[in-house]
Amino acid sequence: MLNGLFITLEGIEGSGKTSHAVTLAERLRGQGRTVLLTHEPGDTRAGQAIRAIFLDPAVSLQVAAELLLVLADRAQHVAEKLKPALQRGEIVISDRYADSTTAYQGYGRGFDLALIGQLNRLATDCLAPDLTIVLDCPVETGLARTRLRNTAAQGPDRFEGADLEFHRRVRTGFLNVLKAEPRRVRLVNSDRPKEQVFADITRFVDELIDTRCR
Ligand code: Z5A
């Protein structure tokens, strides 16, 4: 039995998922709640090895191989981290999850969406988030933010190096996920100051907690 709450943050690169996931976890912990802050790909031992191959632009990957790698990471993540934390009654915040596969490998790479849906059900063992927040901004804004960060650290990964059209298709993918599941998925405009973005995120999370704790 899963007693916890499962929240995912999704969106294009540089939309602010990681920053806001950290701030959200801090806020909830400050309220005395137990929170697992996690991410995909790469938050298990197997996942770290998968992530290294998955993101390395020097490693040539067929689209099917890219898809199967990220699904393998997810299957391990669900079994090792997500389900145990939810069974313990914790709040789980995952920086990316199954909707990223729909957006990147489906809309971005053009892989069959129905098949991705089936494979996602296999990889997740049918574990769906209680709430998904899609942080949305123009791709130019998101990529400019990540480029700023990359110059100081390292070069672009497999996805950051893709062309603008790819990133636009990914953004459309996330917006279509929202249209398909408006009860689970909420949109937040992240092309605004961080404080305003975070205020919207907390409103949706507080609504979820209020509904569940009633
Ligand atoms: N991928 C996939 O293809 N299929 C899948 O199923 C899954 C993933 C699960 C993982 O990369 C890659 O894997 C990802 C998709 C693919 N593509 N790429 N690259 P990752 O984990 O390394 O990175 P990411 O998930 O794309 O996140 P990111 O690039 O770190 O972006 P972010 O988390 O959305 O943004 P951030 O780190 O919070 O912010 C980036 C910078 O912008 C940072 O300096 C912030 O301080 C700044 N920022 C954030 N918000 C604002 C606002 N509102 N104003 C100004 N500045 C801001």
Side-chain angles (χ1 to χ4, degrees), residues 12-19 40-41 51 54-55 70 74 96-97 100-101 104-105 145-146 149 157 159-160 190 192-194 197:
I12 60 164
E13 278 150 61
S15 56
K17 299 171 303 300
T18 308
S19 318
E40 289 191 2
R51 182 183 170 94
F54 185 71
L55 291 185
V70 84
R74 182 159 307 130
R96 294 196 183 280
Y97 188 59
S100 278
T101 311
Y104 280 84
Q105 281 65 48
R145 288 177 187 163
T146 56
R149 181 186 58 194
D157 65 30
F159 297 93
E160 289 166 347
S190 69
R192 295 178 295 159
K194 277 186 186 175
V197 176

Side-chain angles (χ1 to χ4, degrees), residues 3 34 50-51 59 67 74 92-93 108 128 137 148-149 174 183:
N3 298 318
T34 306
I50 292 169
R51 182 183 170 94
V59 178
L67 171 66
R74 182 159 307 130
V92 173
I93 302 170
C137 66
L148 214 64
R149 181 186 58 194
F174 282 120
R183 285 169 64 90

Side-chain angles (χ1 to χ4, degrees), residues 103-160:
Y104 280 84
Q105 281 65 48
Y107 285 86
R109 299 289 193 220
F111 214 91
D112 183 77
L113 290 172
L115 182 56
I116 288 186
Q118 287 177 339
L119 291 170
N120 253 333
R121 278 191 288 283
L122 172 73
T124 60
D125 196 18
C126 295
L127 176 67
D130 297 293
L131 170 68
T132 294
I133 294 171
V134 171
L135 296 177
D136 181 62
C137 66
V139 295
E140 291 83 354
T141 306
L143 291 174
R145 288 177 187 163
T146 56
R147 275 189 200 120
L148 214 64
R149 181 186 58 194
N150 284 345
T151 47
Q154 59 197 47
D157 65 30
R158 182 183 307 282
F159 297 93
E160 289 166 347

Side-chain angles (χ1 to χ4, degrees), residues 8-11 99 129-135 173-188 204:
T8 59
L9 294 185
E10 297 276 13
D99 296 324
D130 297 293
L131 170 68
T132 294
I133 294 171
V134 171
L135 296 177
F174 282 120
L175 296 177
N176 284 345
V177 166
L178 169 81
K179 277 188 208 151
E181 288 187 73
R183 285 169 64 90
R184 169 176 69 88
V185 187
R186 306 289 180 180
L187 185 74
V188 170
F204 288 129

